[in-house]
Amino acid sequence: MTEVLAFDVETTGLDAFAGARVFSFSTTDYCGATEVWRTEDPGFREKLEWLFSPHAPVLVAHNAHFDLRMVGHLLRRPVWWTKKWHDTMIMAHILMNHHYSKSLEDLAWDLLKYPKIDKEVHFLARQAGGMHHVPKEVMKQYQSCDTTRTMLLYRLFNPKIRANKQLVDIYQNECDVVKVTMDMEGRGVVLDRYETVKLRRELKRTVKKCRSNLESSTWVGFNPRSVLDMRQLLYQNWKLPISQITKKGSPSVGKEVLREIRNSGGHRGVIASLVIEHNSALTGVAILKSYLESAGEDDVIHPRLTTLAAITGRQSSSNPTLQNVAKEGVLLNPFPIPARRCFRPRDRHVNIHLDFSGIEMRLLVEYSGEEELVRVIREGGDVHVPAAETFFGRRFETANEHDRATLRGAGKNANFACPYGAGADKVVATLGLPTDEGHAAYKRYCKRFPRLVTLSEGMSAAVQQLGFVRTRFGRCLRVPKNKAYVGTNYVIQGTAAEILKRSQVRIHALHYERWPEVHLILTIHDEVVIEFPRHLLAQLPTYLQEVREEMTRFPEFEVPLEVEASLVTQNWSRKRRLEIPCPS
């Protein structure tokens, strides 16, 4: 058996890019023997160098991303590529995606009944001003517990992973994604400071204008961010019927309620629109402030990227969050924050944005096995056109270009709603048709695309029977049986997350082998952002062909995937569509 050591670092903070440093580390071997080293101990540096040499035992950490990042900063080299390591937190996500917590302490208690002591130590750290100020003997016991827990979890999880070839493949890819992610964090994204400050001022003016208009339309001191003020306006002053209830049983004043009022028009619709605009702009002010605070003197942001943030395996970012750098043309928010204006390419580079085209609908068709729509996608057609034809019939066929686009949009929304379990009434409302006509249209759709309509029902039945759904890659996503209706959502989001992760690893390998000056710098939902040197632009068509191949080569799927490319030379809001040449 390969020798392994559980490994854990203690640091002065959480952000290596903001100056946090390692002040101690601990190890525990397979039999439970523990060592603790502090920076003031003779041979500390030499011991750490040896641990991260090829000759030392394989290291096991819980959230290796953090430990490897901190050690990499201390040793001034990317140890995550040169050292073989394992991660018990990744194993927990793969084996127990449904567990309420992936923290080391919670998992060790729930699975092994290993005692909890973390709360007391963290209290001492807050009192003392940091973990590095906690008495050494207390820290020694705490560190010994951490690496012992890690080793015990490794001994529990590793055989379960190794017993299944698909799980081994999933686990290895997740570890590789961490390595790629750490390179992205290190490279960072460039903030356009001037544009960010300018946009923040614009949003502040919008907040002030909306607040003034709302006070003149309601009462002096009205605060659209106050739940109490909003409830008074909606349910006491306007006496609106309560359409939604919060988890605590109170009348909702959330986004969906406000959108309904806005869409109803009239004076109340205007006020609801002002509230939505005010809240969106105020959120934008805070988001842009976080960008400015996170950027270094060189205007580069090194975000904290989390590769397993959600139950479904989707990624996220924090410090600051960059998942809100979304596309501005979204239907659900009529006043989106144009945050893409805040980011620009590095000097002497351009940015290439690669986005999976319609991946959600492609996966819904894939999992439903709806043969007609599989054929439409394979032939490069638009799957929402046959849906609109079915819903609207001759009205769609004879419509002018503008009306046809509008009807296609309504058909598209219903085409998404059906596989997620929307019933006839919901679909009719989505289509905007009279009740009788809408129900007839829904019946036509059900007859033409029965597999798509029954997809959610089938997924729910699988959850009720098995307690989980499984992606094409073999990942098991456990779903609470009392929430079986989310099974479709889990499998679509989980599959999309795996596709993106595998693409990241492949693109990184492609760069290493053929394009060493090109860098991955960020992923946003289903989009990959690439930093491409200007002096290589003549070779861009070749690069796009190669990267497209890596992102779409998934023989596991009958439905082909497709990628769209955009070029950015100024800021991310000014993207220009790029044609990806077909292979010769």
Side-chain angles (χ1 to χ4, degrees):
M1 184 183 66
T2 303
E3 188 179 359
V4 294
L5 279 178
F7 177 82
D8 183 56
V9 298
E10 296 300 331
T11 62
T12 58
L14 298 177
D15 190 351
F17 296 105
R21 293 292 178 263
V22 175
F23 71 87
S24 182
F25 70 83
S26 55
T27 62
T28 296
D29 67 19
Y30 201 82
C31 297
T34 299
E35 290 185 359
V36 176
W37 292 72
R38 295 179 70 97
T39 50
E40 60 268 29
D41 294 339
F44 170 88
R45 178 86 182 210
E46 290 76 9
K47 178 70 174 182
L48 197 59
E49 288 280 9
W50 177 78
L51 283 172
F52 283 86
S53 71
H55 314 292
V58 174
L59 297 182
V60 183
H62 192 81
N63 188 16
H65 187 155
F66 178 77
D67 298 273
L68 295 169
R69 167 64 68 204
M70 300 306 298
V71 172
H73 267 255
L74 179 61
L75 300 184
R76 299 184 181 279
R77 57 187 172 89
V79 295
W80 46 93
W81 287 109
T82 57
K83 179 67 188 177
K84 186 169 176 57
W85 51 271
H86 287 289
D87 190 328
T88 51
M89 190 171 78
I90 293 177
M91 292 179 175
H93 269 281
I94 293 171
L95 296 170
M96 308 169 61
N97 74 294
H98 65 301
H99 197 269
Y100 72 95
S101 171
K102 305 302 186 299
S103 81
L104 181 59
E105 184 183 40
D106 288 337
L107 286 169
W109 169 253
D110 292 346
L111 301 177
L112 306 165
K113 294 304 177 217
Y114 196 96
K116 294 186 175 187
I117 65 165
D118 293 19
K119 188 179 292 185
E120 293 82 356
V121 178
H122 291 158
F123 174 78
L124 287 175
R126 287 194 297 273
Q127 296 290 103
M131 297 289 275
H132 49 302
H133 294 308
V134 173
K136 290 182 182 180
E137 288 307 310
V138 175
M139 282 302 301
K140 186 173 183 179
Q141 181 190 6
Y142 171 79
Q143 291 178 257
S144 175
C145 286
D146 268 2
T147 45
T148 301
R149 288 167 175 152
T150 301
M151 181 55 74
L152 290 172
L153 289 177
Y154 174 76
R155 293 178 63 169
L156 176 66
F157 291 152
N158 190 53
K160 295 179 180 180
I161 296 285
R162 297 295 158 193
N164 185 310
K165 186 178 182 301
Q166 284 185 312
L167 292 187
V168 171
D169 181 53
I170 292 167
Y171 173 68
Q172 186 57 58
N173 192 72
E174 289 289 354
C175 291
D176 288 342
V177 170
V178 170
K179 300 173 188 176
V180 174
T181 295
M182 295 178 78
D183 281 0
M184 289 196 294
E185 289 175 332
R187 188 71 178 176
V189 295
V190 180
L191 184 74
D192 188 328
R193 188 176 294 271
Y194 172 80
E195 193 64 35
T196 305
V197 171
K198 178 183 172 184
L199 178 57
R200 192 160 181 260
R201 287 185 188 136
E202 292 174 11
L203 292 173
K204 282 184 173 181
R205 286 194 292 269
T206 298
V207 170
K208 188 175 180 180
K209 177 200 72 176
C210 290
R211 196 68 170 264
S212 175
N213 290 340
L214 283 167
E215 286 193 356
S216 64
S217 301
T218 54
W219 63 83
V220 175
F222 172 75
N223 180 5
R225 296 287 273 194
S226 165
V227 173
L228 293 177
D229 281 8
M230 287 300 301
R231 283 187 185 142
Q232 179 180 335
L233 177 67
L234 270 55
Y235 303 114
Q236 294 180 33
N237 296 13
W238 292 353
K239 301 190 183 308
L240 293 177
I242 298 171
S243 60
Q244 292 189 32
I245 299 292
T246 66
K247 290 182 179 179
K248 294 183 179 180
S250 302
S252 174
V253 293
K255 295 177 182 178
E256 290 185 14
V257 172
L258 290 172
R259 278 198 293 268
E260 287 179 11
I261 299 171
R262 179 179 185 269
N263 294 339
S264 68
H267 177 66
R268 292 174 179 177
V270 171
I271 293 178
S273 185
L274 283 170
V275 171
I276 295 171
E277 184 178 11
H278 170 277
N279 292 347
S280 181
L282 195 61
T283 299
V285 170
I287 288 172
L288 268 54
K289 180 183 179 183
S290 72
Y291 293 168
L292 293 165
E293 291 176 343
S294 300
E297 293 182 2
D298 56 358
D299 291 339
V300 175
I301 294 176
H302 300 279
R304 192 178 302 153
L305 304 175
T306 305
T307 60
L308 281 165
I311 289 176
T312 56
R314 276 193 176 273
Q315 303 169 86
S316 71
S317 65
S318 59
N319 198 36
T321 175
L322 294 177
Q323 297 301 306
N324 50 36
V325 190
K327 298 171 185 176
E328 293 166 28
V330 291
L331 295 174
L332 293 181
N333 184 1
F335 306 104
I337 304 157
R340 290 191 172 230
R341 285 168 51 184
C342 300
F343 298 93
R344 65 172 180 83
R346 198 177 245 98
D347 292 344
R348 296 186 294 279
H349 290 75
V350 299
N351 286 155
I352 309 298
H353 292 242
L354 297 159
D355 196 358
F356 281 103
S357 175
I359 190 170
E360 184 180 0
M361 195 67 210
R362 288 171 187 265
L363 291 179
L364 288 168
V365 172
E366 170 72 28
Y367 279 103
S368 70
E370 196 63 72
E371 293 179 4
E372 181 181 349
L373 296 182
V374 171
R375 185 170 62 253
V376 169
I377 294 174
R378 282 186 169 277
E379 293 172 357
D382 181 349
V383 291
H384 302 302
V385 168
E389 289 172 346
T390 306
F391 286 128
F392 297 107
R394 184 164 176 76
R395 179 181 166 193
F396 179 77
E397 294 170 9
T398 60
N400 60 40
E401 186 175 349
H402 177 269
D403 291 345
R404 190 179 174 91
T406 301
L407 294 174
R408 179 198 171 277
K412 174 182 176 180
N413 292 338
N415 208 22
F416 272 108
C418 287
Y420 284 113
D425 291 340
K426 177 71 174 178
V427 173
V428 170
T430 301
L431 294 171
L433 292 173
T435 303
D436 291 345
E437 186 181 340
H439 277 266
Y442 178 68
K443 286 181 181 178
R444 291 196 300 273
Y445 183 90
C446 291
K447 185 176 181 179
R448 185 173 181 181
F449 306 118
R451 293 184 179 181
L452 207 57
V453 173
T454 58
L455 176 62
S456 180
E457 183 182 332
M459 290 289 180
S460 296
V463 171
Q464 291 290 353
Q465 181 182 356
L466 304 171
F468 63 84
V469 290
R470 196 183 295 278
T471 72
R472 283 283 189 276
F473 300 103
R475 187 188 292 259
C476 179
L477 298 173
R478 287 170 178 79
V479 185
K481 290 189 176 182
N482 63 338
K483 293 184 177 179
Y485 57 89
V486 302
T488 305
N489 186 272
Y490 270 44
V491 80
I492 298 301
Q493 282 201 27
T495 303
E498 286 189 280
I499 289 171
L500 184 65
K501 288 178 175 181
R502 288 167 188 256
S503 296
Q504 286 173 249
V505 173
R506 293 175 182 179
I507 292 169
H508 191 281
L510 176 69
H511 291 172
Y512 181 80
E513 294 168 7
R514 289 185 39 77
W515 304 88
E517 296 180 75
V518 182
H519 300 278
L520 261 170
I521 57 173
L522 191 65
T523 61
I524 309 170
H525 302 303
D526 300 318
E527 179 181 12
V528 174
V529 186
I530 307 285
E531 191 174 76
F532 197 89
R534 284 181 177 268
H535 73 267
L536 293 179
L537 282 174
Q539 301 176 52
L540 182 57
T542 301
Y543 173 78
L544 290 175
Q545 281 184 327
E546 293 180 6
V547 78
R548 175 206 216 166
E549 166 63 20
E550 298 299 335
M551 293 180 70
T552 58
R553 179 170 40 85
F554 286 96
E556 297 88 349
F557 301 107
E558 185 180 0
V559 174
L561 301 178
E562 191 48 86
V563 173
E564 294 177 349
S566 301
L567 176 71
V568 171
T569 58
Q570 296 181 49
N571 68 56
W572 291 2
S573 69
R574 297 185 175 185
K575 295 196 297 187
R576 178 167 60 85
R577 179 76 179 269
L578 283 175
E579 290 298 326
I580 303 178
C582 293
S584 55

